[in-house]
Amino acid sequence: MGQWAAPIVNAGITKLTTFAQMERQRAEQLQQASDMEDRADLMRRQGRNAAEIGEREAYKLDSQKSALRRQYNEVQGHNRASLGAGNVDMASGSAALVSEGNANRFSAEMGENAYNVAMKRWETEEQKRMTDYQAAQFDAQSSYLKRTAGNLLTSWLMSDMAGASAFFGGGGASAIARASRAQQVMGRSAIR
């Protein structure tokens, strides 16, 4: 029995430590997967928040159109009133040029406003798209970690293999060989 004790104890200790290590690694990997899912959810929330903020900012910029139109109408009305008070024909050269200049400036300001609104919406869409992409990356990492984490059976089988390896590497093979030779010798002496 003494020849078997060391290999059996070595195999048992190796099996237990390997099993514990495999389960710890599996738990850590599943925790990492859970953390990745949480990060993905956070990225999605950030994306939604950014989209809402961006849309509010775009709406705010877009609402400036009415203020620009009001300013334009005030300037044009003031010019018409001044020209009318001075008995100047609105269709005359300098009056028409002033009116045309005001219209051009109003048109440029409206164009700039439309450009700013479009840019804000584009920036918001890009930011949302990037956060969705990052969330998808975290989801993929989480899925991979879950799939490769293994299970209790995997841990058990790996620990069995490690225990068997420790048994045979730690003198178990030579103990089996000695026991086999001893049986052969006993078998020969029983025949004689």
Side-chain angles (χ1 to χ4, degrees):
M1 180 64 182
Q3 65 186 354
W4 296 96
I8 290 173
V9 168
N10 187 26
I13 290 171
T14 302
K15 177 181 174 41
L16 290 176
T17 57
T18 302
F19 181 77
Q21 181 182 5
M22 294 290 294
E23 282 300 294
R24 185 173 16 85
Q25 287 174 350
R26 184 168 71 96
E28 288 173 0
Q29 198 163 343
L30 291 174
Q31 181 59 47
Q32 286 176 344
S34 177
D35 292 345
M36 292 295 168
E37 287 176 350
D38 292 344
R39 287 181 185 171
D41 290 341
L42 176 65
M43 292 307 297
R44 283 190 195 89
R45 280 194 306 273
Q46 286 177 348
R48 283 192 299 270
N49 290 343
E52 290 171 7
I53 291 169
E55 189 54 38
R56 280 195 300 265
E57 290 174 0
Y59 179 78
K60 192 179 197 181
L61 287 170
D62 196 40
S63 68
Q64 292 174 356
K65 283 194 294 192
S66 59
L68 291 173
R69 183 172 302 283
R70 190 173 45 254
Q71 290 171 356
Y72 170 72
N73 288 336
E74 285 175 9
V75 167
Q76 285 295 85
H78 177 71
N79 287 344
R80 284 186 194 121
S82 295
L83 291 173
N87 288 328
V88 177
D89 181 16
M90 291 288 291
S92 68
S94 62
L97 289 176
V98 168
S99 181
E100 182 183 353
N102 289 340
N104 287 339
R105 188 171 53 248
F106 171 70
S107 175
E109 289 173 350
M110 290 295 278
E112 183 179 349
N113 177 266
Y115 174 79
N116 290 339
V117 169
M119 282 301 293
K120 178 48 75 179
R121 287 196 170 124
W122 178 82
E123 288 171 1
T124 300
E125 278 181 33
E126 286 300 302
Q127 187 175 10
K128 176 82 169 79
R129 194 173 62 76
M130 288 305 296
T131 56
D132 287 347
Y133 174 77
Q134 289 173 334
Q137 291 296 314
F138 286 131
D139 282 339
Q141 289 173 348
S142 173
S143 176
Y144 172 78
L145 288 170
K146 284 180 182 177
R147 281 193 325 265
T148 59
N151 55 35
L152 189 61
L153 180 60
T154 305
S155 298
W156 189 261
L157 291 175
M158 292 299 287
S159 67
D160 280 348
M161 290 172 52
S165 177
F167 175 78
F168 289 112
S174 60
I176 290 173
R178 283 192 301 270
S180 177
R181 280 194 302 267
Q183 277 187 334
Q184 287 174 355
V185 169
M186 287 178 49
R188 286 187 206 142
S189 53
I191 295 176
R192 293 187 193 164

